[in-house]
Amino acid sequence: MFESFPAGESVRLDRKKYHEDFYRVFESGIRQLRKLERGQHFRERGFPSWEAFDSGEWETALSLVEEKREVYARQLRETERLGVRQRRLRVVEFPVTPYVQWEFFVLRLKVELGDEIRAIDARTIAETERERPVPEVVILGDRAMYEVVYENGDAAGARRYADPALIAETAAGFDALYERGEDFTEFFEREIAPLPPPAAGRRVAAGHGASRA
């Protein structure tokens, strides 16, 4: 599973070109979007909820998540209009990092709106990750795959993969893990909801590369 990914050939895109290429492919008639998220620390500069979280204002951060409702609803409507099935798998390490704890409240809103998201305990895929973590990627049908590049936790472009065989292998790996994933709400209620507010939000390290959208 994912054996070929480390040796895959890619083209580096800056942030602007990545976004342009992503939306061009996304709107080109693909039928599936798969998103595998593995990193545990990221920055979300410009997102008021994250800014509040990063400042240690936990209750404010949670209240500000709701501001994204219409934005996320519009994104999902557009995805449905294009006929794209969008699935996301969130790998979670324990103890849960402050960032992931915050992110799950954002993902909960997306699930409420209809997004297909599952969670998986990183300890349950230790055998798969014996040599390296599973790749953190966005896969658009069978046409393109992106690994977002981060600098100090901030998105700085992406590596674009176009080899059909590599895309198919990575997509198959995603599908296998997604089947093993747990219902988001059940995972949230058991593992995230009972946690006390994180001690501080400013514990952010470089991420491992995937779109935060």
Side-chain angles (χ1 to χ4, degrees):
M1 189 184 295
F2 308 116
E3 288 85 357
S4 302
F5 187 85
E9 294 186 2
S10 63
V11 175
R12 174 66 188 270
L13 305 176
D14 63 26
R15 189 171 182 177
K16 181 175 183 292
K17 289 182 179 179
Y18 163 51
H19 288 160
E20 291 174 348
D21 193 78
F22 176 94
Y23 286 109
R24 177 183 61 80
V25 179
F26 181 69
E27 297 173 353
S28 69
I30 66 166
R31 287 293 172 260
Q32 287 208 55
L33 184 157
R34 300 169 171 92
K35 184 177 292 188
L36 177 55
E37 296 181 304
R38 181 63 180 82
Q40 308 295 300
H41 309 273
F42 292 99
R43 297 182 190 272
E44 302 275 3
R45 295 184 185 278
F47 186 169
S49 176
W50 182 85
E51 298 287 358
F53 154 71
D54 192 47
S55 298
E57 301 170 13
W58 182 245
E59 294 302 324
T60 299
L62 297 188
S63 67
L64 290 173
V65 169
E66 185 65 22
E67 291 187 353
K68 285 285 191 177
R69 177 176 292 275
E70 182 50 38
V71 173
Y72 293 151
R74 185 167 62 249
Q75 290 173 349
L76 284 170
R77 288 195 297 269
E78 179 65 8
T79 299
E80 292 173 358
R81 184 186 70 80
L82 293 170
V84 178
R85 183 185 183 192
Q86 180 172 288
R87 292 180 295 159
R88 180 194 305 244
L89 179 64
R90 199 11 161 149
V91 179
V92 182
E93 292 182 4
F94 287 83
V96 176
T97 65
Y99 173 85
V100 170
Q101 182 180 351
W102 167 80
E103 183 192 34
F104 259 74
F105 284 88
V106 179
L107 297 180
R108 182 177 64 166
L109 173 58
K110 293 189 174 189
V111 169
E112 180 183 329
L113 293 169
D115 217 344
E116 294 185 57
I117 303 176
R118 292 185 181 180
I120 192 167
D121 185 334
R123 294 170 294 193
T124 69
I125 59 172
E127 185 68 17
T128 302
E129 297 192 318
R130 280 185 301 175
E131 296 186 9
R132 63 186 65 84
V134 296
E136 186 156 357
V137 291
V138 181
I139 308 170
L140 298 184
D142 58 0
R143 301 185 186 180
M145 177 168 65
Y146 307 92
E147 180 183 21
V148 177
V149 176
Y150 283 82
E151 295 177 358
N152 297 320
D154 297 311
R159 298 182 183 91
R160 186 188 197 278
Y161 299 81
D163 177 15
L166 179 63
I167 293 173
E169 178 186 303
T170 309
F174 171 92
D175 290 345
L177 290 185
Y178 191 83
E179 287 301 313
R180 293 170 55 185
E182 183 176 350
D183 174 80
F184 178 88
T185 301
E186 292 180 3
F187 187 95
F188 178 90
E189 294 298 335
R190 186 184 69 249
E191 304 291 355
I192 305 299
L195 294 175
R202 297 182 181 277
R203 297 177 181 177
V204 183
H208 297 287
S211 172
R212 298 292 88 209

